[in-house]
Amino acid sequence: MNPKRKYIKRIVKAENPEVLVISSFPPRECGIATYTADLVKSLSNKFDTTFEFKICPLESEAEVHNYDFDTEFVLNVDESDSFTNLENSINNNSKIGLVVIQHEFGFFENCHEKLVAFIKGIQVPVAVVFHTVLPAPDESKRNQVMEIANEVQAILVMTKTSKKILIADYSIPESLVTVIAHGTHLIPHIDKEVLKKKYEMNGRKVISTFGLLSSGKSIETTLYSLPEIIAIHPEVLFLIIGKIHPGIQRREGEKYRSYLENIVDELGLHENVRFVNRYLPLDLLLEYLQLSDIYLFTSKDRNQAVSGTFVYALSCGCPIVSTPIPHAVEVLKNNCGILFDFEDSTQLAAAVNKLLSDNELREEMRIAALHNVSSSVWENAAIAHANLFLNLINSDAGLSFKVPELKMDHIKKMTTDFGIIQFARVNTPDINSGYTLDDNARALVTYCMHYEQLHDFPDLRQISIYLNFIEFCQQENGTFLNYVDFNKKFTGQNQTTNIADATGRAFWALGYLISLKPILPSHLIRQALRIFDAAIERVASICSTRSMAFMIKGLYYAETARPTVKGQELITLFADRLVQMYRHESDESWNWYESYMTYANSILPEALLCAWQATGNSTYKEVAKESFDFLLTKIFNGNEIKVVSNKSWLNRSTQDTQPATGGEQPIDVAYTIMALDRFYKTFGNKDYLRKQHIAFSWFHGNNFLQQIIYNPCTGGCYDGMEEFHVNLNQGAESTTSYLMAHLTTIKIEQHERAFSAGEMEMDSSFKNKFQFQSKSMSRFVLTSKSLINNK
């Protein structure tokens, strides 16, 4: 087999090439239609100018529908000239760069030869997605697959098992086959009990299954297991969600449902079985799955390659009890559920009873399920598909990520009347983790940035909460403690952990708030100044590198609103110390302040740049730029950022060795973005702006795992990226880090657009940040004119 690279025949010159997807599509009711709609939606939502997507609905005489979009293309497999007409339309359209065919044998049962000829005649690359991959096929099925494979440029399957079968049983070259797992949805994870109350299932243990019903689903296996389950758990309710498959409906009507209802009558299960005879919209379906304590998958098709219903249930955190189809065997090995033999009601009952009797085990499986499907959420599936599509189109344009809507939902969810909670289990606040000064300082900066840009009045309540927490942490002598438990008591960790950095962050937050004096209520400014002034006499002895850097930032911001001799003295004191450290440690190959790089590295050069802006001392500016540019060489590679791993810091002696993989934290990326913002505004170097956009795209999938770090569903940010997976917990540090990065990026883009439009005046908030005068000392003044001249 020698697959032809047909894209050489026609070079697509369109700036944003079109990808034509041939598939069943809603309102047609079938799993592949839903899959395709979700895939196209995720791709369109994820990328900005990379592709444009067109749908070619796949129809037959029995399946003709009206669509909610213009159907420029339609393929009716029962019309003799439909394939030829579509082929000509594609070849005459210079915008189309790729054709993707969603394949199921039933779609092309009577027109396989036409399909192969159609693929062969298309003058752009073709990718086919096999939704069914039969092991040990008969000669007819084997030949069909091989004939298609011989004409396409890529084959997509959804499991590793399917790929192995294609290679072993169909002699398909391994290089032709790509595995991209079935996508699934990000879920906000509503409390089960709330949902059970909503759907009048209070006090019930709910087991469920869903999908278009047919005898292949073997729902009767569950019905026959229920007497054994009810004997131990009489509160069980079995939900059968879904209508009869339209194809079965046309041939047999409601025969299968009547069969199931007769079993319910026979076994007296009316109180324990509920039919939901609808094709549910996605939002309702996901709520039914979230309220389910266990999801059942009872298919008796031993060769079923993949199940969309299965992965949707996993995304909702449902423990699974399933027959051993290849997909289930591949996924459930990671403690997400229990397998039982096909049509074995006794084994099914035992598995369900085991889970219903063990709340802890169900919770473990819930967390395992969420982690297991995290890499295949639709946002990540979109990235995987897009990378493949770019390769097939032979484009080196790269992916252009859309910026998701800014959401403050999760940070609000993490915040009590006392402060922001430190950790979360997935997206549920873990009150037992308590609170920290660190997190509340970052939350205060976040909401000050948000208010500065949007003037959203409810922000003032959040600002007040975090400011009050900082004041709570201040001791009588003006110093701060960092760790507070859920009972609002300071913990012993304050005596065993270096909390100097927390003091620095508190100053940063207080100074930032004070700098917003022109727009914030006066009582907040007075409170912040009171805390700030009470602490300032005790900070001169701080020598921690990053604490001094945060102190400089806080003092710099405070000086914009209230210039003082003391503030200038402290900025100079800390900046001189940083410069001294730099002079001591740096050499020809190592332009840094220490003999190693650890966390929050960008804060050091940014702080020195703030010191220059506050004092006019050019040494600070020179060292800031020299060290920052050196840092960027260590964390940027082309169009990717890889911050220093917390698994192994970057040492001078080993700086040329391969860095550790994983251990990348959102906070380091966020600090880098904020520093790049300041350096760009100061020096006007477009490369800083380019790197800022690259760094921000790290959160949205431009990282070595090619997975999202920001969750656009919850508004939370995952806690970090490890070597093989993303840490799904959405704690305070990571969430505030993303929001600060987002707000920083939005602000610079707004100014870029203004400058591009020829607007010479900055808005007042920008001026307040970067322009301030002092009668007693020289100041750096950044004007709109200097920015434009340096652009």
Side-chain angles (χ1 to χ4, degrees), residues 48-195:
D48 193 6
T49 59
T50 308
F51 310 103
E52 292 184 17
F53 292 92
K54 292 291 181 66
I55 304 299
C56 174
L58 188 62
E59 297 189 339
S60 66
E61 293 304 315
E63 291 282 2
V64 176
H65 300 278
N66 293 318
Y67 302 93
D68 59 2
F69 56 90
D70 293 333
T71 51
E72 183 179 352
F73 309 97
V74 175
L75 178 60
N76 189 317
V77 297
D78 291 333
E79 293 181 359
S80 58
D81 56 354
S82 190
F83 283 96
T84 303
N85 291 340
L86 181 58
E87 177 187 329
N88 291 335
S89 296
I90 292 171
N91 291 339
N92 290 326
N93 189 325
S94 61
K95 293 182 180 180
I96 295 176
L98 176 67
V99 173
V100 179
I101 301 172
Q102 304 291 340
H103 182 277
E104 176 60 63
F105 288 107
F107 286 168
F108 305 102
E109 188 172 7
N110 299 316
C111 55
H112 171 72
E113 294 78 9
K114 290 182 180 180
L115 173 64
V116 174
F118 164 72
I119 296 172
K120 189 172 184 177
I122 297 175
Q123 295 175 4
V124 295
V126 178
V128 64
V129 183
F130 282 127
H131 287 259
T132 295
V133 178
L134 299 172
D138 59 31
E139 184 176 358
S140 174
K141 286 291 189 289
R142 185 174 189 272
N143 287 340
Q144 286 184 33
V145 170
M146 292 179 66
E147 286 167 1
I148 292 172
N150 209 32
E151 299 299 336
V152 300
Q153 282 62 59
I155 293 173
L156 283 78
V157 291
M158 299 179 203
T159 66
K160 296 175 183 177
T161 302
S162 293
K163 179 173 182 175
K164 291 177 181 177
I165 292 171
L166 285 175
I167 295 168
D169 293 2
Y170 296 84
S171 302
I172 307 295
E174 182 177 359
S175 60
L176 192 63
V177 186
T178 298
V179 178
I180 301 178
H182 192 300
T184 190
H185 298 276
L186 290 170
I187 308 295
H189 298 291
I190 305 168
D191 183 82
K192 278 187 192 301
E193 299 310 314
V194 171
L195 289 173

Side-chain angles (χ1 to χ4, degrees), residues 657-692:
T657 61
Q658 183 70 26
T661 301
E664 294 185 53
Q665 302 297 304
I667 192 169
D668 287 314
V669 180
Y671 285 153
T672 302
I673 288 169
M674 297 173 83
L676 283 164
D677 176 61
R678 187 176 300 279
F679 275 80
Y680 171 64
K681 289 172 179 173
T682 301
F683 295 99
N685 186 338
K686 284 287 188 179
D687 193 53
Y688 291 139
L689 183 62
R690 183 183 70 86
K691 284 184 168 66
Q692 183 184 3

Side-chain angles (χ1 to χ4, degrees), residues 244-298:
I244 297 294
H245 191 289
I248 304 296
Q249 179 80 40
R250 285 192 295 271
R251 294 194 301 270
E252 301 178 359
E254 291 287 319
K255 179 180 177 181
Y256 184 59
R257 184 181 302 279
S258 297
Y259 166 67
L260 297 177
E261 290 172 343
N262 288 336
I263 296 175
V264 172
D265 290 339
E266 174 189 336
L267 299 178
L269 300 173
H270 295 94
E271 295 300 317
N272 301 93
V273 176
R274 184 183 298 181
F275 288 89
V276 182
N277 185 20
R278 297 170 56 197
Y279 190 84
L280 292 179
L282 180 64
D283 56 342
L284 290 184
L285 174 61
L286 294 178
E287 288 194 349
Y288 271 107
L289 290 175
Q290 287 183 81
L291 65 80
S292 298
D293 295 283
I294 299 172
Y295 181 76
L296 304 179
F297 185 82
T298 56

Side-chain angles (χ1 to χ4, degrees), residues 276-559:
V276 182
N277 185 20
R278 297 170 56 197
Y279 190 84
L280 292 179
L282 180 64
D283 56 342
L284 290 184
L285 174 61
L286 294 178
E287 288 194 349
Y288 271 107
L289 290 175
Q290 287 183 81
L291 65 80
S292 298
D293 295 283
I294 299 172
Y295 181 76
L296 304 179
F297 185 82
T298 56
S299 171
K300 57 185 178 184
D301 181 356
R302 287 159 170 78
N303 295 323
Q304 184 170 347
V306 69
S307 167
T309 68
F310 188 89
V311 294
Y312 280 28
L314 284 173
S315 73
C316 291
C318 294
I320 308 288
V321 175
S322 173
T323 50
I325 66 167
H327 191 194
V329 172
E330 194 169 298
V331 172
L332 295 189
K333 62 185 178 183
N334 297 319
N335 193 37
C336 300
I338 300 173
L339 299 174
F340 72 99
D341 287 340
F342 293 100
E343 303 179 80
D344 192 322
S345 297
T346 301
Q347 286 188 16
L348 172 57
V352 170
N353 280 330
K354 177 180 179 180
L355 287 174
L356 291 180
S357 300
D358 193 333
N359 294 339
E360 186 174 328
L361 178 58
R362 290 204 313 279
E363 177 61 14
E364 289 175 2
M365 287 187 173
R366 184 184 79 86
I367 298 298
L370 296 176
H371 279 87
N372 207 36
V373 297
S374 64
S375 62
S376 59
V377 296
W378 279 118
E379 287 76 4
N380 292 334
I383 296 170
H385 280 87
N387 282 321
L388 176 64
F389 293 170
L390 281 180
N391 183 55
L392 292 172
I393 295 172
N394 202 20
S395 170
D396 58 359
L399 299 177
S400 176
F401 292 85
K402 281 185 179 178
V403 177
E405 177 187 2
L406 181 67
K407 293 184 69 171
M408 307 299 283
D409 301 39
H410 189 63
I411 189 173
K412 290 177 181 176
K413 182 178 180 180
M414 291 288 291
T415 301
T416 68
D417 290 338
F418 182 59
I420 190 168
I421 297 167
Q422 184 176 192
F423 298 138
R425 285 177 58 84
V426 188
N427 69 324
T428 301
D430 181 6
I431 186 62
N432 292 320
S433 66
Y435 307 83
T436 68
L437 177 62
D438 279 331
D439 290 330
N440 280 272
R442 282 185 288 260
L444 180 57
V445 172
T446 299
Y447 262 97
C448 284
M449 292 175 71
H450 192 260
Y451 185 79
E452 180 184 15
Q453 293 185 34
L454 302 177
H455 296 276
D456 191 5
F457 183 76
D459 288 354
L460 297 177
R461 179 179 182 276
Q462 302 295 117
I463 289 171
S464 183
I465 289 173
Y466 307 131
L467 183 59
N468 288 340
F469 185 90
I470 292 175
E471 187 164 32
F472 176 87
C473 290
Q474 189 170 42
Q475 305 304 290
E476 289 185 4
N477 63 0
T479 61
F480 294 95
L481 295 180
N482 189 27
Y483 300 99
V484 183
D485 67 18
F486 66 92
N487 288 318
K488 305 180 183 180
K489 304 292 184 183
F490 291 108
T491 74
Q493 196 173 355
N494 289 293
Q495 281 69 52
T496 60
T497 304
N498 183 354
I499 60 174
D501 283 5
T503 298
R505 291 188 186 97
F507 262 82
W508 170 37
L510 291 167
Y512 196 93
L513 187 154
I514 292 166
S515 75
L516 300 182
K517 181 179 178 181
I519 62 173
L520 283 177
S522 58
H523 74 276
L524 293 176
I525 302 299
R526 288 195 301 272
Q527 182 181 3
L529 283 170
R530 183 172 67 248
I531 303 168
F532 192 90
D533 291 342
I536 200 167
E537 298 299 330
R538 302 294 299 263
V539 299
S541 61
I542 289 177
C543 294
S544 168
T545 312
R546 282 152 187 81
S547 180
M548 290 191 296
F550 282 115
M551 291 292 304
I552 290 171
K553 285 191 69 174
L555 289 161
Y556 160 75
Y557 282 120
E559 288 289 290

